[in-house]
Amino acid sequence: MAAFTESDDLQAATFTDVNLTGARFVRSNLSGVILRAAEVAGADIDAPWLLAGDNTLLVNGVNVAPFVDAELNRRFAGRELRRADTPDDLRTAWAAVERAWSDTTTRVAAMSPGTEEISVDGEWSFAQTLRHLVLATNTWLGRAILGIADPFHPIGQPHAEYETDGLDMSVFAPTKPTYDEVLAVRADHVAQVRDYLATVTSADLSAARKNPWSPDYPETVLSCLHTILEEEWEHLRYATRDLATLS
């Protein structure tokens, strides 16, 4: 079975009469890819950044991105508030996030013991997803908004590129925590966002901040909060997708 990695430069390559049935693309840049006379029945595309900015996805000449957005809003009540821009609306948006995750955590508790630790197709388990959201809160609330120099909780789950980007892995615990520990730390971090939003003002939202991954890139408190909301809804989507498979 052929395997291609980042060392293989396939930019602008042409594939003609090639059978890619069952091929899998992970963390691959397929922007601008053109498919002509392609058989795509049963194809499964997961594109987290599809709805960012003015991105489009054309299928038979139709931009399907708005339809994807609308359907996800229908499936996940409250997701449509992820771009809220006033203190009251942000508080409402976060309450919706809390309800959605509470319902999903309850669902996991009712499934077979150990479900929370099962990986589907190499993706993060439910427990790992919660740990990554701890990291996201530490990054965008702790470091970016609050300016905490060392915001990371050792239970956090770094993304795949964290180590290869030369970032410090020693801040994370070398052993896997128990699920009860994950739930407790996650609950504390959810409360941190809730408590911050409880007193945030319109003036606070427009305050300048630095992007925690690219300090030269400007952010505002509001854009940082939008990233937190985006992380929450995207990872809930991943989690429910995999739980459906496990069910």
Side-chain angles (χ1 to χ4, degrees):
M1 181 181 295
F4 301 96
T5 66
E6 62 182 346
S7 62
D8 299 296
D9 187 357
L10 298 178
Q11 293 186 66
T14 297
F15 301 87
T16 303
D17 296 329
V18 175
N19 187 351
L20 296 176
T21 301
R24 188 177 184 88
F25 301 85
V26 180
R27 295 191 301 278
S28 300
N29 186 351
L30 300 178
S31 58
V33 166
I34 297 173
L35 306 179
R36 292 288 184 265
E39 176 58 68
V40 295
D44 184 351
I45 300 173
D46 196 306
W49 300 280
L50 171 62
L51 304 176
D54 297 323
N55 288 345
T56 61
L57 175 62
L58 300 181
V59 178
N60 291 354
V62 178
N63 179 18
V64 300
F67 300 102
V68 173
D69 195 25
E71 175 60 16
L72 290 176
N73 285 344
R74 186 191 67 80
R75 294 184 184 187
F76 299 100
R79 178 184 176 275
E80 71 280 0
L81 298 172
R82 71 193 187 283
R83 289 294 178 228
D85 58 6
T86 68
D88 283 343
D89 286 347
L90 285 164
R91 286 187 275 271
T92 301
W94 188 251
V97 166
E98 291 201 48
R99 285 193 300 271
W101 274 106
S102 177
D103 291 345
T104 305
T105 303
T106 299
R107 174 185 176 187
V108 171
M111 296 175 72
S112 300
T115 294
E116 67 279 356
E117 300 291 354
I118 298 176
S119 167
V120 176
D121 291 334
E123 302 289 344
W124 281 333
S125 68
F126 187 76
Q128 287 175 306
T129 297
L130 295 183
R131 291 170 58 195
H132 180 70
L133 290 173
V134 168
L135 172 68
T137 303
N138 292 157
T139 302
W140 291 96
L141 177 65
R143 173 171 284 176
I145 295 178
L146 300 179
I148 300 172
D150 299 306
F152 297 115
H153 193 287
I155 215 173
Q157 174 76 45
H159 48 274
E161 302 86 357
Y162 196 95
E163 186 171 16
T164 56
D165 285 346
L167 298 172
D168 182 11
M169 291 288 291
S170 68
V171 299
F172 303 112
T175 57
K176 186 174 74 172
T178 67
Y179 185 50
D180 284 343
E181 290 173 329
V182 172
L183 290 177
V185 174
R186 165 64 172 164
D188 174 71
H189 283 65
V190 168
Q192 289 179 30
V193 180
R194 185 195 317 129
D195 291 345
Y196 178 78
L197 291 174
T199 59
V200 76
T201 66
S202 295
D204 293 332
L205 296 178
S206 61
R209 292 292 188 269
K210 293 182 177 179
N211 186 296
W213 303 123
S214 303
D216 293 335
Y217 187 84
E219 300 281 355
T220 63
V221 168
L222 180 60
S223 66
C224 293
L225 290 171
H226 283 169
T227 299
I228 292 172
L229 289 167
E230 195 74 41
E231 287 273 345
E232 294 284 341
W233 287 115
E234 282 298 288
H235 285 285
L236 180 67
R237 179 172 66 81
Y238 304 149
T240 54
R241 174 199 64 196
D242 291 347
L243 290 174
T245 298
L246 293 174
S247 295

